[in-house]
Each structure stands twice: as C-alpha cells, then as structure tokens.
Amino acid sequence: MISHKSERTVTCTIVGDGMVGKSQICKTFIGDLTIEDYEATVTNEHSVLTQFMGDRYTLRIVDSSGQHDYKDIRTLSYKKSEVFILCFNLSDRDSFESIETFWIPEIRKLCKKTPVILVATGKDIQDNDENNNVSKEEYLSVMDKYGIDAYVECSSYNKEEVNEVFEDVLLSVIKSKKKRLSNIFHHLLAR
Amino acid sequence: MSTSSLRRNRCQQQAERNVFRLKNSMPNKFEEMVLSSLGKAVTMTTQEIDSQVNRKSPEKVTLKRKSSRLSFYRKSIKKREFTQLTPDSISALTVLIEFIGKSYNIKDEGLFRKTGNISRQKTVRKQLLECSMIDLELISSHDGANVLKNFIRDLCEPLLTNRFHNVYTRLASLLTTEDKAKPTTLKALQMLMLLMPSDNYCLLRPLITLLHRTSKTPENLMTADSLAIIFTPHFLCNKSSSGTELQTTTKTFCHLVAFMIESGNNLFKIPQDLAEEVSSFWKEMEIPNHLYLQSVTKKNRPLKTLDDSVLTESPKLTPKKKSGRRSLVHVIDLGISPDKRRKSGLFSPRHRQSSESSDASLPERRPLPDIVVSKVDEKCCTAKNQSEQRQWNFPPSTTKNKPVAMVKPISRSPISQFFRNVPQQLQKVMQTPRSRTPMLYRSPQLDMPHLDMPQLDLDDDREIMC
C-alpha cells in the first residue's frame, strides 16, 4: 500500500421522491439479487468496500425514505453525510419538480456546502405522455442554478451505470476535500 | 352459508345500534364499560390504559425543545399551522377519499407513495381549508392522496390520538412477538375504535376502507406494509418526539398499522362480548330485574316455553307487548291473587290507578334516569333487604298506559303454577312495575330531596288514563 490512508470511510445519503428507484440503486451496487419489491423504505444502511483510483474506500450508503413526512428520521443522517445523491425519475415530471421545491431546500437548510450529485433514473423507461418526460436541458439548468457538482443518467438495474454514480460520489468527495484545503490555504495566504 | 352470514350481519347491525345508542346517550357509562373489557383483553389496568398522555406530555415537550432543539427547528415548528378536524373538513376529505377510491384512480402505480405535483397540491389544500369545492378535474390521484396525507399529518394530534398510546404500544409489541395474538389484537383495536373521538372515527373509517382496497388492488403495487410505513407517523407517532425516537417507534407501530389496514372493515365491527354486555345493559334498562329473573328461570324451567304458553292461552294478557319477557313480568302480578297478599300482611291493600280510583294525594314517583343506572347493580340486594325492596326500576314510559292490570287473574295459568314454586322472597323481587301502587306508601324515595322532580310525569299519566 503506497497510500498513507489505506482505508477511508465515505458516507453518502440517497434522497429523492418515493418510487424513483433509490433502494434499487443501492441493491444493484451491492449486488443484491433479490427479487424487486415495492415496499417503501424507512431507512436502510449499507456498507460497501470499494477501490477507486488505487485507494480503498468504505462506502456507507444511507438509503433514506422518499416520503416527505419522514423528515425527522431522514435529517438525522444529513449532518454525517459527505455527499448527497439526489434522485429523480426521467419519466416522472413530479419527482423532478419536487427536487427544486422540496429536496434542495431541505438539504441546503442543514448542509450548506455538501456536494450534491444529481442522478436521473429510469433511463430505460419512457412515459407514453411526452409531457411527463424530463429533457436534458431542463435538468442541466437546474444543475447550474443550484451549483450541483455532477449528474449521471442511469437505469437502476444497470450495474455499470450505477457504478458510475458511485465513482462520481467518491470523486466529488475528493474534490471537495481539496477545495476545502485550498480554501484554508487562501485564507492563510491572504493574512 | 348465505343465511348464516345474513344472520350475523343482522346481529352486527343490532349490536352497532345498541352500542351507538349507549355511546350517545350515556357516554360515561359507555366508556367505563368499554375500558373495563378492553382492560381484560389486553390485561392492563384501567389506569395504565387511560394514560392521559396529553396531560403530562406538553410539559416534557417544552422542556425538551428548550434544551436540545436548535433555533431553526423552533422556527419551523412555529410556522407549522395545525389543521383541525371539523365536520366541514371531514366532509371535504370524504370527497377526496371517494375521488381516490375511484376505479381508475386506485390502480395508479405507487398511490400514496409518489409525491405528485406540489404546486397543484397547494391549491387543493387551500380549497380544502376554506371548505370550498375541490376542483377534482385538475388533480391527479397522487395529488389527492398527498393532500389527504398532509392534512392528517398537520393535525395537532395523531389521528388515533395520544390518549391510548400505551395500549397501542402494548398491542404492537404483542403483534410482533406472537403470531396467535391476532384475534385479541383485533378485539382490542375494535374497542379502541369505539373509544375514539367521533370526528376522528368519521375520518378513519372511510380512510381505512380506502387503504384496505388499495392494498387489495395489485395494479398499484402497494402492499399493506408499504401503506403502513407511509401512514404510521400520521396515525400513531407522537408529533413532538425526536428523530431517533421516531425511528424506533415507527418500526414497531408499522406492523400494527399494517394489521389495521389488512383487517379493513372488520376493524369497525363490534366485538361480540361487548355487544352482549351492552344489549344486556339495555334489557336491564327496560326491565329492571331481567338478569335476576333470568337466573331464577334458568334454575326452574326454560323461559321460552312459558312465554309461548302465555301468548297462546291468554292473548288478552299481553295486548301490545313486543317482548315475551316483559309480558311475563306483568303476568306475575296477576297470578298471585291480591287476597293472598292481604292475608300475608306484608302489603297494604292495592290501589289501582285507573281513571276512577286514582288518588290525587298519592304522588307518583319515578326515579330519575341516572338513579336507574345506579340502582341496576343493586338488584340482587333487594331480595334481602325489606326497606330497599321498595326501590323499583320502572320500565320506559312507553309502556306505562297499557291496561294490563284490567285482566282477571288466571288461576291455573302455567305462570301462576310456576310462581307458586318460587319462594315468597323472590316473588317480591319479581313484582311488576304495574303493581307499584302498594309500594308507594313506604317508598323511601318520598324522602328524597327531589320532590318536585317527577311532577310532570304524573300529570302526563293522568291525562292519558282519563
């Protein structure tokens, strides 16, 4: 092991409306092959060992509830998490709209600077109603508006695409660490 | 099969009618009754059940908030407006429930779980709070479901109320640990439903029916467990508890709520032993010594045959009586000839209060309704104690002007035969309400403070008799 930090723990929280596929993303990433169930989640925690850019990481994934009413339980894990994975469904306009109206305000209220990754799920599904589908321009504009670090389009069942999501998670954590360090440098230099 | 289910249905209806009549007319008595049988069902004392959480919790909550909560939390709590359950809002919500329950809406995937459009929901919510007509054409089923959910969330108390929180906790733990506990849980839940405030009941009943139907519709992919997870915080969890508390409590309560959703309409049936208790209470109110009588007749002869023979042999005896038992009580008096009593010296000569012989100087006393309730329990003592023997519970006023006493006594009627076998002490207890005139002389109620109370009743009586 060359790296002096051989193992680091990264905590990330998955948020987003109900039934967009949050739990499915976790399951696909872990490699849990149980049959899909449609039960609402209260909270779940998964710990996964991964390698990224030569370093080993323990990913702690908090799978939170999409029910807006479970706010008290969900926000418990917000303070600890270093990244947020914000999900919406490409074929469900409502879930996209509530990103702006509900999720980003809730996250920003508690964690002002934590990086957020936008994940568009349901790449493989198209709703029959054209109006229900979310176009790329729309969510790119949302990204710019709220300073979201990265976005990934995926299907919750596709292992490679889901892996990409978590690579982005680790990348953004490293980035934000660097940023913070450089910020401290700037501060010191400015004095 | 169909006949038995029909009969059960009719029994249930009758029980429901009895129970709700009692609930509305004598809420205290009703509550006491249900609480005691609930206590038996879950093996808890009445104090444990009725925890009066509401009284204690506010202090605790304020303390907690001051110590642990941050400033932004307090702000958000202040901002939140509590919705209130009023008949108006309930009727508006029922419209919404009906809308969600329509066959094309209930099949929507993820009903209650998906969030729907928030801006549309805001307008609907506004309409709901103003109690104006809800524009159902604009909204989707998800919007409707969420407005309904949020309304219940914003109530100042969970929908199932804090009062019986202890019982719900107990039931939840019972249900998770034991598989056999389902019948008792259902019974206890049925009684808890009856103890709920009527506004909450009116909302919960259609809601549970809707949720039950939703869980039974496979197209929407919602199971009872999923629905329970969504609704548990609104149904049972204390609004003021913190996140960690909620996390533990929701998990236990989820099973209970899922069970409630699964049982659906069965939740609002009347448990059988309660129904029996209530109906016997009503019989007690109609015929004071019904229970005592029953115990006596059980020892001697089946009551049913007696009734039949009375009805066939002497139809005049019971001109307008509906129930056979009541007629029996009247006939007893006739069976024993007045001469016999005079000889025995226990009773003074009878004064029959007919139109000619009514004695104006004799005030007719009727017990107050609540006295009747309290005296019911003492029926067994009356046989032993001579002075207390005078306190009679009269039948409801509808029967008071029926000319039963005009009929001649039948010397060899089966009833008189039967009552000859009954010891004298018991006969007195079985005196009919009609024969109250001799008792009036010694009635202890004459000394009671409410002397002017039944005056009206007396006037009524005489008018009718003339």
Side-chain angles (χ1 to χ4, degrees):
Chain A
M1 280 288 137
I2 308 157
S3 150
H4 54 283
K5 277 185 247 162
S6 61
E7 209 172 275
R8 265 198 55 204
T9 314
V10 173
T11 315
C12 65
T13 308
I14 304 190
V15 292
D17 261 9
M19 291 195 97
V20 294
K22 296 187 295 295
S23 302
Q24 191 56 47
I25 287 181
C26 293
K27 275 188 178 176
T28 318
F29 186 60
I30 297 161
D32 186 356
L33 290 175
T34 47
I35 313 155
E36 53 185 279
D37 59 340
Y38 281 88
E39 203 152 292
T41 318
V42 183
T43 39
N44 261 329
E45 268 195 39
H46 310 278
S47 280
V48 197
L49 266 172
T50 45
Q51 270 194 340
F52 181 66
M53 290 176 27
D55 286 340
R56 284 168 69 192
Y57 290 93
T58 315
L59 254 180
R60 253 186 77 225
I61 310 165
V62 180
D63 184 8
S64 69
S65 166
Q67 299 305 313
H68 292 195
D69 317 312
Y70 274 97
K71 191 180 175 182
D72 287 336
I73 295 180
R74 202 183 319 120
T75 47
L76 279 179
S77 59
Y78 276 20
K79 285 265 154 181
K80 280 180 257 164
S81 64
E82 291 156 85
V83 204
F84 285 101
I85 305 176
L86 181 51
C87 302
F88 71 94
N89 200 318
L90 277 173
S91 59
D92 182 2
R93 178 157 286 278
D94 292 335
S95 74
F96 176 69
E97 278 174 18
S98 68
I99 280 184
E100 258 187 281
T101 52
F102 186 82
W103 293 107
I104 290 180
E106 187 183 282
I107 293 169
R108 285 302 174 223
K109 203 174 177 183
L110 288 169
C111 316
K112 295 226 162 64
K113 282 181 179 169
T114 320
V116 177
I117 294 168
L118 196 65
V119 175
T121 59
K123 195 180 167 188
D124 48 337
I125 317 162
Q126 285 279 314
D127 203 276
N128 296 330
D129 188 0
E130 268 304 308
N131 287 332
N132 243 345
N133 294 323
V134 184
S135 69
K136 196 165 183 173
E137 287 82 43
E138 279 176 290
Y139 65 82
L140 284 180
S141 73
V142 168
M143 270 182 65
D144 286 342
K145 203 172 162 187
Y146 295 98
I148 290 168
D149 297 59
Y151 83 92
V152 191
E153 261 185 47
C154 73
S155 149
S156 304
Y157 297 101
N158 191 322
K159 177 92 181 162
E160 279 168 28
E161 283 167 344
V162 172
N163 281 350
E164 205 182 307
V165 172
F166 287 96
E167 275 170 23
D168 271 342
V169 165
L170 293 174
L171 204 66
S172 66
V173 170
I174 294 163
K175 257 192 205 167
S176 72
K177 275 276 152 67
K178 271 185 191 165
K179 223 189 217 172
R180 223 179 284 164
L181 276 176
S182 66
N183 271 352
I184 293 167
F185 266 128
H186 276 291
H187 268 286
L188 288 172
L189 286 176
R191 278 188 181 176
Chain B
M1 177 60 205
S2 62
T3 49
S4 71
S5 69
L6 250 178
R7 199 183 307 143
R8 213 177 305 141
N9 213 355
R10 213 177 300 139
C11 276
Q12 192 56 233
Q13 275 176 8
Q14 181 64 37
E16 228 164 79
R17 212 180 304 147
N18 277 342
V19 165
F20 284 109
R21 191 151 56 122
L22 185 61
K23 189 182 178 181
N24 294 329
S25 58
M26 280 174 268
N28 290 338
K29 172 79 189 165
F30 174 74
E31 211 162 79
E32 178 193 314
M33 215 178 221
V34 180
L35 275 179
S36 74
S37 50
L38 179 64
K40 269 180 227 156
V42 293
T43 56
M44 285 165 90
T45 61
T46 323
Q47 280 87 5
E48 278 175 319
I49 289 173
D50 204 349
S51 56
Q52 293 297 328
V53 179
N54 350 8
R55 213 196 301 145
K56 283 177 194 168
S57 62
E59 302 161 21
K60 271 188 200 167
V61 170
T62 47
L63 276 177
K64 239 186 231 168
R65 242 173 233 163
K66 267 174 203 163
S67 59
S68 71
R69 298 238 161 138
L70 298 166
S71 57
F72 59 82
Y73 256 91
R74 222 180 287 159
K75 266 181 209 163
S76 71
I77 285 163
K78 268 182 195 167
K79 262 184 211 166
R80 192 197 255 185
E81 280 175 29
F82 286 131
T83 50
Q84 261 171 354
L85 272 185
T86 55
D88 286 340
S89 61
I90 288 172
S91 67
L93 286 173
T94 345
V95 172
L96 212 56
I97 287 173
E98 244 169 55
F99 168 74
I100 300 164
K102 283 191 177 142
S103 55
Y104 49 87
N105 278 334
I106 208 166
K107 283 178 187 164
D108 277 356
E109 189 181 309
L111 186 66
F112 289 107
R113 203 177 147 188
K114 279 190 176 169
T115 317
N117 188 307
I118 291 175
S119 58
R120 260 179 286 162
Q121 285 169 30
K122 271 182 189 160
T123 55
V124 176
R125 194 186 153 86
K126 212 176 168 189
Q127 286 167 343
L128 189 76
L129 291 178
E130 287 163 3
C131 296
S132 55
M133 281 295 289
I134 297 169
D135 224 342
L136 291 173
E137 281 175 11
L138 289 176
I139 60 172
S140 72
S141 57
H142 299 300
D143 297 334
N146 268 284
V147 172
L148 179 66
K149 231 164 64 177
N150 291 348
F151 185 90
I152 299 168
R153 180 190 65 193
D154 292 343
L155 291 173
C156 56
E157 222 184 358
L159 189 62
L160 296 183
T161 69
N162 281 329
R163 189 177 162 201
F164 298 108
H165 196 267
N166 284 355
V167 190
Y168 286 115
T169 325
R170 175 68 172 262
L171 287 177
S173 65
L174 258 181
L175 204 64
T176 42
T177 49
E178 287 175 56
D179 265 352
K180 294 172 198 165
K182 280 191 177 175
T184 25
T185 319
L186 182 63
K187 207 171 103 182
L189 280 174
Q190 283 169 341
M191 283 189 264
L192 285 168
M193 295 300 113
L194 290 173
L195 287 170
M196 246 187 339
S198 62
D199 281 345
N200 295 34
Y201 183 88
C202 289
L203 180 59
L204 188 69
R205 191 164 181 167
L207 182 64
I208 288 282
T209 327
L210 173 71
L211 292 180
H212 181 70
R213 274 183 58 213
T214 312
S215 68
K216 285 281 175 281
T217 316
E219 286 93 337
N220 57 27
L221 303 170
M222 295 299 287
T223 58
D225 290 316
S226 274
L227 287 170
I229 287 172
I230 292 159
F231 275 95
T232 308
H234 312 320
F235 275 12
L236 279 167
C237 292
N238 204 335
K239 304 263 150 145
S240 50
S241 50
S242 66
T244 33
E245 276 174 53
L246 275 179
Q247 203 166 0
T248 50
T249 48
T250 39
K251 268 177 194 163
T252 50
F253 280 141
C254 268
H255 297 282
L256 187 68
V257 176
F259 178 71
M260 283 170 75
I261 293 170
E262 273 165 23
S263 31
N265 233 344
N266 284 338
L267 204 63
F268 300 100
K269 283 184 178 160
I270 315 282
Q272 204 181 354
D273 38 0
L274 184 72
E276 275 166 19
E277 203 179 324
V278 170
S279 76
S280 74
F281 173 77
W282 279 119
K283 265 179 201 157
E284 197 58 55
M285 295 291 281
E286 282 171 24
I287 316 161
N289 295 315
H290 154 77
L291 271 185
Y292 192 80
L293 197 70
Q294 216 172 29
S295 67
V296 172
T297 43
K298 258 181 202 165
K299 271 178 217 159
N300 292 297
R301 221 184 283 182
L303 191 67
K304 207 181 169 189
T305 53
L306 262 180
D307 279 349
D308 293 344
S309 59
V310 168
L311 288 173
T312 48
E313 275 188 42
S314 52
K316 265 185 173 177
L317 264 179
T318 54
K320 287 172 193 171
K321 297 292 170 288
K322 278 168 205 161
S323 81
R325 271 181 201 148
R326 192 182 297 162
S327 72
L328 179 70
V329 176
H330 287 286
V331 175
I332 302 161
D333 173 44
L334 300 171
I336 307 155
S337 64
D339 310 30
K340 204 177 173 185
R341 275 215 213 98
R342 242 170 258 143
K343 274 175 206 166
S344 70
L346 275 170
F347 288 84
S348 48
R350 323 174 64 177
H351 279 252
R352 189 153 289 156
Q353 282 206 323
S354 62
S355 51
E356 307 95 58
S357 65
S358 73
D359 196 343
S361 65
L362 287 178
E364 191 176 348
R365 295 280 158 229
R366 268 166 213 281
L368 306 176
D370 40 342
I371 293 176
V372 173
V373 181
S374 62
K375 288 294 181 275
V376 165
D377 304 329
E378 292 175 20
K379 61 193 179 288
C380 293
C381 313
T382 48
K384 295 169 194 165
N385 198 332
Q386 277 283 336
S387 64
E388 270 179 34
Q389 203 177 339
R390 304 286 168 256
Q391 297 177 349
W392 294 100
N393 303 310
F394 298 129
S397 55
T398 45
T399 58
K400 66 187 172 190
N401 45 14
K402 284 175 186 168
V404 186
M406 301 298 283
V407 186
K408 278 184 184 176
I410 303 166
S411 52
R412 272 185 207 155
S413 78
I415 297 156
S416 54
Q417 288 291 323
F418 157 63
F419 278 103
R420 227 156 267 164
N421 301 333
V422 180
Q424 181 109 55
Q425 282 281 305
L426 297 189
Q427 283 179 23
K428 279 168 217 151
V429 178
M430 287 182 284
Q431 282 276 323
T432 103
R434 274 289 123 195
S435 67
R436 60 184 173 272
T437 20
M439 294 171 284
L440 283 174
Y441 290 112
R442 298 180 200 173
S443 169
Q445 283 174 14
L446 277 176
D447 312 325
M448 281 181 62
H450 317 284
L451 270 173
D452 49 345
M453 179 38 216
Q455 209 65 49
L456 255 177
D457 244 353
L458 176 66
D459 294 344
D460 275 4
D461 240 0
R462 220 165 291 139
E463 267 173 39
I464 293 159
M465 279 168 183
C466 295

